[in-house]
Amino acid sequence: MAVLGAGMATTPAFADDVKDRKAAMKSISKANKVLKAYSKGKGKKAAAMAAAKKIAAVGKKLPGMFPKGSGKGYGKTTRAKPAIWEDWAKFKKAAGAMTAAANKVASVGQLGTKKTGMEVAGGIGKTCGGCHKQFRGPKPKKMKK
């Protein structure tokens, strides 16, 4: 997946940027499901730690996946609100909060018990929701992929 690769190619139309960040968000969602399962007593600690590391790695790259001008098509091809570029510092801070929360989970010993795992993993989910409320629009009925 290009999202976790060394670099990303961009096109003047930014189609690849939108496609790459959609893939990134799906990978974060999938990793969050692994963490949620672990917090409910299902799954293994190693898988949960790997999921947290994946979220942290993708989170670190998120701001770079939103180059200026790649919000064109809002509501048609992307849910990224113009607010991302209007308040770039706030967006970068929100992405950093998710990365920091994921790094905390990925730290040795942070998922020691199921209860601790739920508390710490829940922190990642809160950062996702906090960013989505500000910077992600509603899903339209028909959106181009």
Side-chain angles (χ1 to χ4, degrees), residues 8 10 17 21 58-68 70 88 91-92 95:
M8 293 186 321
T10 58
D17 292 313
R21 66 181 177 235
V58 175
K60 188 175 180 182
K61 295 179 181 186
L62 271 182
M65 293 180 183
F66 291 84
K68 235 179 196 176
S70 67
W88 185 251
F91 174 72
K92 278 184 71 174

Side-chain angles (χ1 to χ4, degrees), residues 38-86:
Y38 177 76
S39 72
K40 292 182 176 184
K42 300 173 185 172
K44 299 193 183 264
K45 181 178 178 177
M49 298 281 283
K53 287 178 183 176
K54 183 173 192 170
I55 292 168
V58 175
K60 188 175 180 182
K61 295 179 181 186
L62 271 182
M65 293 180 183
F66 291 84
K68 235 179 196 176
S70 67
K72 291 181 172 103
Y74 172 66
K76 295 177 184 165
T77 58
T78 181
R79 295 169 67 187
K81 288 181 177 178
I84 291 171
W85 299 275
E86 293 165 2

Side-chain angles (χ1 to χ4, degrees), residues 21-32:
R21 66 181 177 235
K22 283 180 181 182
M25 295 301 177
K26 286 181 183 180
S27 72
I28 290 171
S29 177
K30 188 175 180 179
N32 265 329

Side-chain angles (χ1 to χ4, degrees), residues 116-133:
T116 303
M118 186 177 343
E119 291 168 359
V120 177
I124 296 173
K126 286 180 184 175
T127 64
C128 293
C131 191
H132 286 174
K133 287 176 187 169

